[in-house]
Amino acid sequence: MAQTKDLDLVIRHVLAGLGHGIHAGRERGAGVEFSEYRAYAPGDEWRRVDWKLLARADRYFVREAERDSHVAVWLCLDATASMSEPSREINGIDKLWFARTALACVAAIAQRQGDAFGLLVCTDGKVEFTPASRGPRQLQRVLAALSKAEPRGQLPSADTLRASLHFARAPSMIFAASDFLDWPSPLSEALLRLRNMRHDVRLLTLRTQAEVDASFKSGAGYRDPEQADGLHRMSNADRESYKQQSRVHFDGVAGSCRQNNIVHYEARIEQPLSGVLRNWLQLAGARAK
């Protein structure tokens, strides 16, 4: 619980102006049972406020309901070594921080909407799995798992990931955050497989500003954290070639997503998180049926 304090504060800040937005459908009527009260948060629907309780307590409270949801929300975090790449412009921010915070916000929205949600963390050749459930306690479990994630090793193998797709029997929404430097990869194959199984797959590709415009220090040495293939240096002459090859790669990622009807949004970790999250969620409405 203590590990999630900072993450929880960021979520509250980001969602203050965002509200709901994972999906439009909400179940009403029979089968919806009262569960608990919680304090009103910006973005909650006014019709869910208990006005009688307001008169007694002089505070706004929202009624939470238990319901059987036909859609589960799954969060997929790439926590491999390449996600440790830091911003060269903002201290203390790296790809993993941005990815897990964005997914934490999605988890908070799912919890607010009453949906079941779970988490897969791909790290050091294995998958760390948090089963889907509902409610505030589930949110704390997911935030704790996200907070503990550290960038280590490589992606799990294709067989390991395939064995982890047992959750996909029921209709699901999958939110995956990665730098997708490897594409195709075991992770991309698993996500495409999920889309072919008729699940709603949404990808967030994260890059640093330095990666986009090749503004690395000239002559500085860089080592691939996931490969033991020596030290690389970038000269001024290398920059244009790097930018061209990088753009070809990420155009290929975007093209593969379009071809497979997958929502895809590319962002820089220096961008405001609230804007990235809003744009990522809104893209879903534009996806062809």
Side-chain angles (χ1 to χ4, degrees):
M1 294 284 285
Q3 288 179 328
T4 68
K5 181 181 293 184
D6 292 341
L7 198 55
D8 190 56
L9 289 174
V10 174
I11 290 172
R12 292 175 185 270
H13 173 74
V14 172
L15 296 191
L18 190 63
H20 305 283
I22 289 184
H23 58 79
R26 294 184 61 86
E27 295 179 12
R28 301 179 175 87
V32 181
E33 298 181 0
F34 171 75
S35 173
E36 62 182 353
Y37 288 107
R38 65 167 173 79
Y40 172 83
D44 286 331
E45 300 175 24
W46 285 107
R47 64 183 177 82
R48 297 174 60 201
V49 172
D50 191 304
W51 300 106
K52 293 182 179 180
L53 187 58
L54 168 66
R56 296 196 304 269
D58 197 30
R59 290 182 58 191
Y60 291 104
F61 287 93
V62 172
R63 294 173 61 91
E64 290 282 16
E66 291 283 352
R67 63 182 174 85
D68 292 329
S69 174
H70 295 301
V71 177
V73 175
W74 286 96
L75 314 172
C76 180
L77 174 67
D78 177 355
T80 55
S82 68
M83 295 293 284
S84 64
E85 179 67 22
S87 168
R88 313 279 167 170
E89 301 178 5
I90 303 176
N91 292 332
I93 301 296
D94 59 23
K95 291 178 183 177
L96 183 61
W97 180 92
F98 200 102
R100 66 185 177 188
T101 307
L103 293 178
C105 290
V106 174
I109 296 174
Q111 188 269 320
R112 181 183 293 177
Q113 293 185 169
D115 293 317
F117 56 99
L119 172 68
L120 289 83
V121 179
C122 299
T123 183
D124 203 18
K126 60 183 183 295
V127 177
E128 297 176 353
F129 186 76
T130 302
S133 187
R134 299 183 182 86
R137 291 185 179 180
Q138 172 69 358
L139 179 60
Q140 290 301 320
R141 283 191 287 268
V142 168
L143 296 188
L146 288 169
S147 296
K148 291 189 296 184
E150 296 181 358
R152 297 195 303 266
Q154 299 181 358
L155 288 169
S157 68
D159 289 340
T160 300
L161 276 168
R162 191 177 300 111
S164 301
L165 301 185
H166 55 80
F167 68 85
R169 296 188 183 95
S172 306
M173 301 177 65
I174 293 92
F175 291 82
S178 170
D179 55 15
F180 292 112
L181 291 176
D182 291 324
W183 188 291
S185 70
L187 178 58
S188 70
E189 292 172 3
L191 293 169
L192 292 175
R193 180 179 176 84
L194 287 168
R195 181 62 195 132
N196 290 334
M197 294 166 66
R198 311 290 296 178
H199 298 287
D200 187 345
V201 181
R202 309 180 183 189
L203 309 188
L204 177 63
T205 295
L206 296 174
R207 307 176 68 190
T208 68
Q209 187 63 51
E211 288 177 326
V212 172
D213 55 26
S215 57
F216 303 104
K217 292 182 179 179
S218 183
Y222 299 93
R223 190 185 305 276
D224 185 339
E226 297 182 16
Q227 303 289 340
D229 56 355
L231 196 67
H232 304 275
R233 297 188 184 277
M234 178 175 291
S235 66
N236 289 329
D238 295 327
R239 294 184 192 277
E240 286 306 316
S241 175
Y242 165 85
K243 290 171 66 175
Q244 180 180 2
Q245 293 181 48
S246 177
R247 192 65 267 163
V248 168
H249 172 79
F250 288 104
D251 284 347
V253 174
S256 179
C257 289
R258 285 193 301 271
Q259 183 178 357
N260 290 277
N261 202 14
I262 290 176
V263 173
H264 173 258
Y265 186 72
E266 182 179 314
R268 300 182 301 280
I269 65 173
E270 290 82 5
Q271 292 177 285
L273 177 58
S274 57
V276 170
L277 187 62
R278 180 178 292 105
N279 291 338
W280 188 27
L281 296 178
Q282 288 178 347
L283 266 182
R287 181 170 63 82
K289 301 296 184 183

